[in-house]
Amino acid sequence: MRFLPTLERKFRRWKKLKKPPLLRKLDILFKSTHKGQIQEDNAKRAQRDFGKDNKNELSYRTRQQFMSNGTFHEAVGSVLLTAQWFAMMPLRGVTAKHPSSLRFSWRYVRTCCCLLFIASMLINLSLTIYKVLNGSITFNNIRPLIFKSCIFLVCGKALSLARQWPDLMMKWYEIEQDLPQYQTQYEKRRMAQTIKMVMLVGMMLSFAEHLLSIISAINYASFCNRTDDPIRNFFEMTNDEIFYVLNYSTPLALWGKIQNVYSTFIWNYMDIMVMIVSIGLASKFRQLNDNLLKFKGLHMAAAYWSERRIQYRNICTLCGTMDNAISFITMISFSNNLYFICVQLLRSLNTMPSVAHSVYFYFSLFFLIGRTLAVSLYAASVHDESRRPLRYLRCVPKDSWCPDTMRFAEEITSDMVALSGMKFFNLTRKLVLSVSL
Amino acid sequence: MRFLPTLERKFRRWKKLKKPPLLRKLDILFKSTHKGQIQEDNAKRAQRDFGKDNKNELSYRTRQQFMSNGTFHEAVGSVLLTAQWFAMMPLRGVTAKHPSSLRFSWRYVRTCCCLLFIASMLINLSLTIYKVLNGSITFNNIRPLIFKSCIFLVCGKALSLARQWPDLMMKWYEIEQDLPQYQTQYEKRRMAQTIKMVMLVGMMLSFAEHLLSIISAINYASFCNRTDDPIRNFFEMTNDEIFYVLNYSTPLALWGKIQNVYSTFIWNYMDIMVMIVSIGLASKFRQLNDNLLKFKGLHMAAAYWSERRIQYRNICTLCGTMDNAISFITMISFSNNLYFICVQLLRSLNTMPSVAHSVYFYFSLFFLIGRTLAVSLYAASVHDESRRPLRYLRCVPKDSWCPDTMRFAEEITSDMVALSGMKFFNLTRKLVLSVSL
Amino acid sequence: MRFLPTLERKFRRWKKLKKPPLLRKLDILFKSTHKGQIQEDNAKRAQRDFGKDNKNELSYRTRQQFMSNGTFHEAVGSVLLTAQWFAMMPLRGVTAKHPSSLRFSWRYVRTCCCLLFIASMLINLSLTIYKVLNGSITFNNIRPLIFKSCIFLVCGKALSLARQWPDLMMKWYEIEQDLPQYQTQYEKRRMAQTIKMVMLVGMMLSFAEHLLSIISAINYASFCNRTDDPIRNFFEMTNDEIFYVLNYSTPLALWGKIQNVYSTFIWNYMDIMVMIVSIGLASKFRQLNDNLLKFKGLHMAAAYWSERRIQYRNICTLCGTMDNAISFITMISFSNNLYFICVQLLRSLNTMPSVAHSVYFYFSLFFLIGRTLAVSLYAASVHDESRRPLRYLRCVPKDSWCPDTMRFAEEITSDMVALSGMKFFNLTRKLVLSVSL
Amino acid sequence: MRFLPTLERKFRRWKKLKKPPLLRKLDILFKSTHKGQIQEDNAKRAQRDFGKDNKNELSYRTRQQFMSNGTFHEAVGSVLLTAQWFAMMPLRGVTAKHPSSLRFSWRYVRTCCCLLFIASMLINLSLTIYKVLNGSITFNNIRPLIFKSCIFLVCGKALSLARQWPDLMMKWYEIEQDLPQYQTQYEKRRMAQTIKMVMLVGMMLSFAEHLLSIISAINYASFCNRTDDPIRNFFEMTNDEIFYVLNYSTPLALWGKIQNVYSTFIWNYMDIMVMIVSIGLASKFRQLNDNLLKFKGLHMAAAYWSERRIQYRNICTLCGTMDNAISFITMISFSNNLYFICVQLLRSLNTMPSVAHSVYFYFSLFFLIGRTLAVSLYAASVHDESRRPLRYLRCVPKDSWCPDTMRFAEEITSDMVALSGMKFFNLTRKLVLSVSL
């Protein structure tokens, strides 16, 4: 079946076992409360009592901070914070509890940093174009050009996305509040944990790949040393587009290196961005599905179905809005990954100059393929989850079948809810096959 | 998202700012009128008053001429007029206010010019066939043959389209009158402006490309001068199919050149034709959608939905009729563009004899790709707009959901409304991907 | 648009003008009758009067024979009769008025002839296999093997089809009788005329191609004459698989030649078979559509729609039954045509030994492509016609919309009615594109 | 049409004629009973009488054992038993009457054998990886690596499938009991017979192929004899990955050979597994379809349709559950078959060293293609059968058409019920074409 979610689930189960005692206590307490007193009045009282009981352990404020409300805004906070260190998504209030604290302004220091990086990127891109046009144009030679143009485009788009972000998060928040809520801390934290895990794994692998690329470059530089200085050799090789035009100087070399590191981060970040939005959307659908599953096959009132249908519609609208916002990044990410896989496969026919190169090359190839597959599968999960309510609608008993259920079923059947690459292609599991053919 | 419409919108917003003060005044006046007095009686009075108020500024007749009624016939008038200078669409009354003034006759001078051009085209085509058959037949060598056959076929089809045009425009007009009308001059003029912009940009780029082709040909002719006369060299090269059979003479050279210019125009015009019809159809769907958007989520009577459904059906029928009329041109335009992109990509492997050639070649390649993409995207917008009412139907409140809305939703879901290439393929955004793969 | 049907229509209009005066008289008389007296009683009287009026001109029996009842069995009679001369479809009663006269028996002389031919074919096939296995196996060399295996398989399948034919025709007849009937002789004869035209054109072109192949073979044989006898040279070349094993003798040569002629006929006949069944099915759908068109947009009773739905269902079932019966032939016909187009395109790279060869080669190539396209388009027309009632259902007025119309619309939307190649692919217009890509 | 089912039917009809007299007697008796007394009371009495009548012939217990209840568990028993001899599906109670006797435990001897084999497989795989990495990596050279990895993965998956099997069979059993039951022993045994036939034919062909491979290997070994011992030559060649690292010794050679035989069995068994599950699911759909066919076009109560819909839904759920359980095996089986067909087609360009090789090669190629086709067609039959109820729903008379039938029809129309390769592709007849293109 689906590896990634399965892996996640296993990982989560293992984490569950070793989750901090406090959290487990909160959950167990809640569950027992929930079981004993189903009536709402009682539940409220339980909440109050539960507040009282824990008072001695930790103050109300600390607990409030500690407890998650399970919103996407909250889950994505640290991811955006990391991005800001790499000149992307310049926003204030990303780690705030409520999305209304999000602010974008051209006057913030982080926005200026971001613009500065884009300007520096533009200079680097011009140098690259100059070098490429002076050589012969082949599928392989335009690689740095394609790489840097993509980074440049994504940076620009990320800036415009940052401007939209506060509105998007407010919309998301409103829709989230309207959905049937999870009861336990564990369920509320699930999405945030998945997002953090994806970010962490993605960044670590990307870091490993960058280290390997440096090692193989040093290795190569020591072979064909144009000058006596090994550090200079290394920089002249990795930033050949700069020293093709300008003379060597240490500040330029450092600038090139920083540019390089940032580019590598952004190159990975655009894939992570798509994955994270996908995880967010899929988990909202799952939240609805979990509620439907709970009442599967039972005799529910028409109002229940009508309400669920409206909630489903809201998530679909949200999905469309997010798709509009990030589909350009999705497009760039996909075409970029496909181009690089093709280039790498072509290069696999060449002989490797050293073991370091060989290790770097295969690691890089498998990392690329894995990343592309991960993006595809996470993005496809939005579509898969959006189709799931159909399964529960099929089990609605005969006498609960009403115009509302019929309308709900018809809408799911006929709508195509999925992230897309600028509407040119929808990200579903079928796409993976048709691309690989 | 969609570049072209986005570009348009930006362009339009910029134009709005600097739209002539009179127009702005008319609109503002109308809006304020509309806001203050919603009742129909009052609106009528406002119209009368509004007529009075402006009387001192411009006479009634001038205003009438100046005001647009937002019909496709009116919007497309100047485009057809331009085409008539290039021996296409020989019709009288293209710039008239009402489509009933459109006339086609075999006895008009413009029809005769058109037939004359077709005959001249046929002679040129025969000369080309003769030259091609006497050489070796390769994918690249049959280029002029394909080019000229397409021009010839399109000319013939355009003539038969001209015969149908008065009927088509009458049908279009009737359906247009039945649609919910826009209130402001700005909204009424939108379609006409888009059409004019597309025509203008298309023609200008085509003109630029033709100039570049002449420059590169002159450049090339000066290199390999077979005779002493540089003008003769140029003509012998650009019209080699004529002078392969006949001896050189200035009238023949001029005939060839005119033929050449006309062919280039028609080659571009067939793409523009498809784009313009697409814009027209899409804007009719948008007119309906804008009305649906206005009442989105409100409790509307069944009669409202029933009426909208019939209007939607009418536009679909119109779409089918127009598709039947132009799908041959669409087919030729598409296959021609694809063939030329392939040929150009193959030729990009050759080395360019000069900088002029190189500039011409890349400009021509990007122009071709851009034009093909523009045709695809504009044509796909018809399909996209036709699916849009579904979005508003999804938000119909529970108690307004009636058999009419259900029927409307089902029809949109199950029908495929799009322009097509002789029904072999539908022009949607998905096609772009499957063709580029 | 659709060339072939358009061509047909033009051809028919031209024929209409010159249709025999008697026929025209019958039709005009009928039409005037129909106009004047709509009531059924009157219509009956008109029929009687009309019988009386014409009595003096031609006897009742002659008129009966002359008048068509518009059944498929009647239309296909002469086509089957022709096939019987080439050892296919051995049935009695193919030209009878009523399909109940159709008989198949293993003891009929024509069945024995057919079996004899199949046996002879088998021997020839074995000789071909022997020759192919003794040479090198390439894509081009196995051409005669593929050709003869296909002929052999189709012969066998045609025999089994002949056994089913009487039942199929009875089923077809019953469904036909239940459909809304055409009123004029002209409309009743339309299908039969189309079928005959297709048969005639197909056979004539096939004959022309065979003649050209003989001419080019004679031409070639005279070049590389292994023996002194030019006739022997010719036969040794065209039947090389026989004389690879056996010594030359005139009876063998004649046997080979006859085999050759028959094979060519059957090779064409399998395509014609598919076309004819397609025409038959499409015209049955059209018969229903014409009735629906007549009442388009009118307020019809639920019973009307219910009846039409059942009739539509019957034709669909018939379509499925016929598809089961001929889908093997369709499959063979399609794959065979595609294989031969590929082989011919590959051979087009070789230089032609003579002008005769060149003419034969290009004629044969275009004939093949044209035939394949014709089969595809006629087969696709079944699907196109089956979707047409949807167009009329969309125009049903609001107050005539009932569960029956809804059910009818849903069935058309969700069912895929088309001929298929053993269910592996459906024959629609979209297939043409996906195959040509 | 569909060869395989047709072949099966013919084979079955032939078997029916020669079915043991006792079975025939039971069936005839039952049929006559069924005809005469339709009322349930009478049917019960008939059952009792029927029990009495036969008492003299065979004891009640023997008859019980002899009679089939037509469950999948029963049908698949012997197939699983065979698999256990080849270290797969280690379960107790596979031949028991009731699936509740199925047990899986890590402590059973067969589970240990299975784990032992997996461990041994892992060692062999490591040796193979070592040998491949030390040579050049080409499409053809990695063949043993791909082969052994697939076997290893399938073995692991089969073990995890064995753990799920008891639950799966219980679910299956419950759904089976709820379906409309067949009346005759013949119909009940049909599925089991098909499954056994597929197993038998598959195993026999696989055995024949293995024999041919041994013969051709012996043949080849005698040519290029590295040592004097012919047996050693043979083993060194067939297990080159072992003797690339280790020195030759008879126990190692035997281990390699056994490994080889087991691998070949498992390689075939994974295809057979997919086929058998497909047959099982398709036959359950057929059981439902047969009941629907019986009442086709009759006026049935809404409750009848409601019940059938729920039964249909149950089989769909079962289909989904089984797909989840085996889709990994399906995926491996499909990609593996495609890879090997490609490799074999590439190798067909090489010249064969001997006739034995040539025979082995062509047998192996056709066996592979045939097996792949058989898997595809059997798997596609699940989808085909799942669509069949639509045909009967189309014939529901007007006054029996109720919300239940509508819901049933809509569900069949919009759901995609098919086995899949990890949801990346659905196994339908259309897939065969798109893969072969």
PDB file of all heavy atoms in Angstrom, chain C residues 41-53:
ATOM      1  N   ASP C  41     -56.512   7.831 -39.479  1.00  0.00           N
ATOM      2  CA  ASP C  41     -57.558   7.277 -40.350  1.00  0.00           C
ATOM      3  C   ASP C  41     -57.351   7.778 -41.772  1.00  0.00           C
ATOM      4  O   ASP C  41     -57.343   7.002 -42.725  1.00  0.00           O
ATOM      5  CB  ASP C  41     -58.949   7.698 -39.865  1.00  0.00           C
ATOM      6  CG  ASP C  41     -59.099   7.555 -38.373  1.00  0.00           C
ATOM      7  OD1 ASP C  41     -58.316   8.210 -37.627  1.00  0.00           O
ATOM      8  OD2 ASP C  41     -59.951   6.771 -37.953  1.00  0.00           O
ATOM      9  N   ASN C  42     -57.186   9.089 -41.835  1.00  0.00           N
ATOM     10  CA  ASN C  42     -56.993   9.698 -43.137  1.00  0.00           C
ATOM     11  C   ASN C  42     -55.747   9.161 -43.804  1.00  0.00           C
ATOM     12  O   ASN C  42     -55.741   8.884 -45.009  1.00  0.00           O
ATOM     13  CB  ASN C  42     -56.864  11.226 -43.002  1.00  0.00           C
ATOM     14  CG  ASN C  42     -58.164  11.821 -42.491  1.00  0.00           C
ATOM     15  OD1 ASN C  42     -59.099  11.079 -42.192  1.00  0.00           O
ATOM     16  ND2 ASN C  42     -58.219  13.142 -42.399  1.00  0.00           N
ATOM     17  N   ALA C  43     -54.696   9.036 -43.008  1.00  0.00           N
ATOM     18  CA  ALA C  43     -53.444   8.540 -43.552  1.00  0.00           C
ATOM     19  C   ALA C  43     -53.651   7.166 -44.173  1.00  0.00           C
ATOM     20  O   ALA C  43     -53.183   6.885 -45.276  1.00  0.00           O
ATOM     21  CB  ALA C  43     -52.389   8.477 -42.450  1.00  0.00           C
ATOM     22  N   LYS C  44     -54.425   6.337 -43.450  1.00  0.00           N
ATOM     23  CA  LYS C  44     -54.709   4.986 -43.961  1.00  0.00           C
ATOM     24  C   LYS C  44     -55.449   5.064 -45.289  1.00  0.00           C
ATOM     25  O   LYS C  44     -55.111   4.373 -46.237  1.00  0.00           O
ATOM     26  CB  LYS C  44     -55.580   4.241 -42.948  1.00  0.00           C
ATOM     27  CG  LYS C  44     -54.777   3.408 -41.966  1.00  0.00           C
ATOM     28  CD  LYS C  44     -55.720   2.624 -41.077  1.00  0.00           C
ATOM     29  CE  LYS C  44     -55.034   2.246 -39.780  1.00  0.00           C
ATOM     30  NZ  LYS C  44     -56.017   2.004 -38.728  1.00  0.00           N
ATOM     31  N   ARG C  45     -56.448   5.943 -45.315  1.00  0.00           N
ATOM     32  CA  ARG C  45     -57.219   6.125 -46.540  1.00  0.00           C
ATOM     33  C   ARG C  45     -56.286   6.564 -47.675  1.00  0.00           C
ATOM     34  O   ARG C  45     -56.352   6.060 -48.792  1.00  0.00           O
ATOM     35  CB  ARG C  45     -58.317   7.168 -46.305  1.00  0.00           C
ATOM     36  CG  ARG C  45     -59.301   7.277 -47.443  1.00  0.00           C
ATOM     37  CD  ARG C  45     -60.702   7.675 -46.991  1.00  0.00           C
ATOM     38  NE  ARG C  45     -60.714   8.546 -45.826  1.00  0.00           N
ATOM     39  CZ  ARG C  45     -60.738   9.891 -45.874  1.00  0.00           C
ATOM     40  NH1 ARG C  45     -60.718  10.508 -47.044  1.00  0.00           N
ATOM     41  NH2 ARG C  45     -60.796  10.587 -44.760  1.00  0.00           N
ATOM     42  N   ALA C  46     -55.402   7.521 -47.304  1.00  0.00           N
ATOM     43  CA  ALA C  46     -54.454   8.031 -48.287  1.00  0.00           C
ATOM     44  C   ALA C  46     -53.625   6.889 -48.847  1.00  0.00           C
ATOM     45  O   ALA C  46     -53.415   6.789 -50.060  1.00  0.00           O
ATOM     46  CB  ALA C  46     -53.537   9.059 -47.631  1.00  0.00           C
ATOM     47  N   GLN C  47     -53.203   6.005 -47.953  1.00  0.00           N
ATOM     48  CA  GLN C  47     -52.415   4.848 -48.373  1.00  0.00           C
ATOM     49  C   GLN C  47     -53.199   4.024 -49.400  1.00  0.00           C
ATOM     50  O   GLN C  47     -52.653   3.603 -50.404  1.00  0.00           O
ATOM     51  CB  GLN C  47     -52.086   3.969 -47.156  1.00  0.00           C
ATOM     52  CG  GLN C  47     -51.034   4.555 -46.239  1.00  0.00           C
ATOM     53  CD  GLN C  47     -49.637   4.100 -46.607  1.00  0.00           C
ATOM     54  OE1 GLN C  47     -49.484   3.254 -47.493  1.00  0.00           O
ATOM     55  NE2 GLN C  47     -48.628   4.667 -45.984  1.00  0.00           N
ATOM     56  N   ARG C  48     -54.466   3.810 -49.092  1.00  0.00           N
ATOM     57  CA  ARG C  48     -55.312   3.003 -49.965  1.00  0.00           C
ATOM     58  C   ARG C  48     -55.465   3.692 -51.322  1.00  0.00           C
ATOM     59  O   ARG C  48     -55.278   3.090 -52.366  1.00  0.00           O
ATOM     60  CB  ARG C  48     -56.672   2.815 -49.298  1.00  0.00           C
ATOM     61  CG  ARG C  48     -57.423   1.583 -49.738  1.00  0.00           C
ATOM     62  CD  ARG C  48     -58.784   1.583 -49.097  1.00  0.00           C
ATOM     63  NE  ARG C  48     -59.517   2.806 -49.420  1.00  0.00           N
ATOM     64  CZ  ARG C  48     -60.274   3.491 -48.538  1.00  0.00           C
ATOM     65  NH1 ARG C  48     -60.375   3.093 -47.293  1.00  0.00           N
ATOM     66  NH2 ARG C  48     -60.904   4.587 -48.902  1.00  0.00           N
ATOM     67  N   ASP C  49     -55.772   5.004 -51.249  1.00  0.00           N
ATOM     68  CA  ASP C  49     -55.949   5.775 -52.474  1.00  0.00           C
ATOM     69  C   ASP C  49     -54.682   5.732 -53.301  1.00  0.00           C
ATOM     70  O   ASP C  49     -54.713   5.546 -54.520  1.00  0.00           O
ATOM     71  CB  ASP C  49     -56.248   7.252 -52.149  1.00  0.00           C
ATOM     72  CG  ASP C  49     -57.574   7.392 -51.432  1.00  0.00           C
ATOM     73  OD1 ASP C  49     -58.285   6.367 -51.316  1.00  0.00           O
ATOM     74  OD2 ASP C  49     -57.875   8.491 -50.957  1.00  0.00           O
ATOM     75  N   PHE C  50     -53.606   5.906 -52.588  1.00  0.00           N
ATOM     76  CA  PHE C  50     -52.284   5.949 -53.201  1.00  0.00           C
ATOM     77  C   PHE C  50     -52.005   4.606 -53.888  1.00  0.00           C
ATOM     78  O   PHE C  50     -51.463   4.534 -54.978  1.00  0.00           O
ATOM     79  CB  PHE C  50     -51.286   6.269 -52.065  1.00  0.00           C
ATOM     80  CG  PHE C  50     -49.872   5.893 -52.285  1.00  0.00           C
ATOM     81  CD1 PHE C  50     -49.001   6.762 -52.928  1.00  0.00           C
ATOM     82  CD2 PHE C  50     -49.383   4.679 -51.809  1.00  0.00           C
ATOM     83  CE1 PHE C  50     -47.687   6.424 -53.093  1.00  0.00           C
ATOM     84  CE2 PHE C  50     -48.066   4.353 -51.991  1.00  0.00           C
ATOM     85  CZ  PHE C  50     -47.213   5.229 -52.631  1.00  0.00           C
ATOM     86  N   GLY C  51     -52.476   3.538 -53.251  1.00  0.00           N
ATOM     87  CA  GLY C  51     -52.383   2.213 -53.872  1.00  0.00           C
ATOM     88  C   GLY C  51     -53.188   2.189 -55.179  1.00  0.00           C
ATOM     89  O   GLY C  51     -52.677   1.773 -56.219  1.00  0.00           O
ATOM     90  N   LYS C  52     -54.417   2.697 -55.089  1.00  0.00           N
ATOM     91  CA  LYS C  52     -55.307   2.708 -56.268  1.00  0.00           C
ATOM     92  C   LYS C  52     -54.715   3.507 -57.402  1.00  0.00           C
ATOM     93  O   LYS C  52     -54.672   3.085 -58.536  1.00  0.00           O
ATOM     94  CB  LYS C  52     -56.643   3.360 -55.867  1.00  0.00           C
ATOM     95  CG  LYS C  52     -57.721   2.367 -55.458  1.00  0.00           C
ATOM     96  CD  LYS C  52     -59.032   3.115 -55.285  1.00  0.00           C
ATOM     97  CE  LYS C  52     -59.890   2.447 -54.234  1.00  0.00           C
ATOM     98  NZ  LYS C  52     -60.737   3.391 -53.509  1.00  0.00           N
ATOM     99  N   ASP C  53     -54.241   4.729 -57.028  1.00  0.00           N
ATOM    100  CA  ASP C  53     -53.747   5.654 -58.053  1.00  0.00           C
ATOM    101  C   ASP C  53     -52.649   5.043 -58.897  1.00  0.00           C
ATOM    102  O   ASP C  53     -52.581   5.261 -60.101  1.00  0.00           O
ATOM    103  CB  ASP C  53     -53.189   6.939 -57.398  1.00  0.00           C
ATOM    104  CG  ASP C  53     -54.319   7.786 -56.848  1.00  0.00           C
ATOM    105  OD1 ASP C  53     -55.481   7.398 -57.054  1.00  0.00           O
ATOM    106  OD2 ASP C  53     -54.030   8.803 -56.198  1.00  0.00           O
TER     107      ASP C  53
END
